């Protein structure tokens, strides 16, 4: 099975004017409804990272959990959950960040990572980079370093990948969309 970005893009549904007018939301649920496409996405990430040197996988709430958990299982790595505020039961570290729609907070259990750990971070898409930057800041506060930030989709016009690169965090995405692309 060969990766084809066009095939993947054709299974990402554009939802016009969601969550507010003027926004095109990139809905990955059709991608997950196709066993062939889901296997292709997972296998592509697994192939990229199977021999890479990192200790943990970090997954962003909530769609990042979908791909992050599959990759953690396949690569036999511990999975760290970066959650929206108020979702974790134990002691947490919290980091505020800006989204396309306002301010939000990301949390992680304070004992999730240690000095010297290396984290491969997953989310469904990179837009402004706010969620992944907040996760990177949280991981670094625990002494870990970021191996790479990975996503299915990049929206390069919003600058998130560039912001991550400017922080010294490499990024990898399977496909990208222009803001007006349907």
């Amino acid at each position: 099975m060969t990766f084809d970005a066009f095939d993947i893009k054709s299974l990402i549904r554009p939802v016009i004017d969601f969550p507010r007018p003027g926004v095109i939301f990139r809905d990955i649920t059709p991608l997950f409804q196709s066993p062939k496409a889901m296997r292709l996405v997972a296998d592509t990430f697994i192939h990229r990272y199977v021999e890479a040197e990192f200790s943990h996988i970090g997954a962003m709430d909530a769609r990042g959990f979908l791909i992050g958990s599959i990759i953690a299982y396949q690569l036999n790595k511990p999975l760290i959950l970066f959650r929206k505020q108020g979702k974790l039961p134990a002691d947490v570290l919290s980091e505020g960040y800006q989204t396309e729609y306002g301010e939000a907070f990301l949390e992680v259990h304070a004992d999730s990572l240690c000095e010297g750990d290396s984290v491969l971070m997953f989310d469904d898409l990179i837009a402004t980079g706010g969620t992944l930057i907040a996760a990177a800041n949280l991981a670094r506060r625990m002494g870990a370093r970021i191996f790479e930030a990975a996503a299915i989709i990049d929206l390069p016009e919003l600058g998130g990948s560039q912001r991550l690169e400017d922080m010294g965090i490499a990024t990898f995405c399977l496909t990208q969309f222009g803001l007006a692309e349907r």
Side-chain angles (χ1 to χ4, degrees):
M1 199 173 348
T2 305
F3 181 78
D4 183 334
F6 178 77
D7 285 343
I8 296 299
K9 286 178 88 162
S10 72
L11 291 172
I12 298 169
R13 175 177 31 216
V15 180
I16 310 303
D17 294 329
F18 182 83
R20 66 174 197 228
V23 173
I24 300 175
F25 182 83
R26 302 300 172 177
D27 180 15
I28 62 170
T29 56
L31 183 74
F32 280 88
Q33 292 168 345
S34 166
K36 180 180 177 184
M38 189 59 243
R39 179 161 301 280
L40 182 60
V41 166
D43 288 351
T44 301
F45 282 126
I46 291 162
H47 178 74
R48 178 174 178 83
Y49 298 116
V50 69
E51 295 180 358
E53 296 291 326
F54 61 91
S55 60
H56 293 73
I57 290 182
M60 305 306 116
D61 195 347
R63 291 177 301 273
F65 293 173
L66 299 171
I67 192 67
S69 61
I70 293 167
I71 306 308
Y73 172 77
Q74 289 293 325
L75 298 182
N76 198 34
K77 301 288 185 183
L79 180 66
I80 307 302
L81 301 179
F82 291 88
R83 301 289 318 261
K84 294 173 182 157
Q85 188 173 33
K87 302 288 185 183
L88 293 171
D91 292 334
V92 298
L93 297 176
S94 183
E95 181 86 12
Y97 65 101
Q98 293 296 312
T99 71
E100 302 92 306
Y101 318 113
E103 185 178 29
F105 288 86
L106 195 66
E107 295 180 337
V108 67
H109 279 134
D111 60 357
S112 294
L113 297 164
C114 299
E115 186 76 36
D117 287 340
S118 176
V119 183
L120 168 59
M121 300 189 307
F122 277 98
D123 207 350
D124 63 323
L125 69 85
I126 300 175
T128 64
T131 307
L132 287 164
I133 290 169
N137 289 339
L138 288 166
R140 288 174 171 172
R141 284 168 51 190
M142 289 181 274
R145 70 176 184 81
I146 308 307
F147 174 77
E148 191 165 76
I152 297 169
I153 305 165
D154 187 17
L155 303 177
E157 292 171 68
L158 293 179
S161 291
Q162 186 61 55
R163 289 177 64 206
L164 288 158
E165 297 278 347
D166 291 347
M167 291 177 62
I169 299 171
T171 62
F172 175 75
C173 297
L174 298 181
T175 192
Q176 65 181 22
F177 285 92
L179 292 181
E181 187 175 343
R182 300 208 187 221

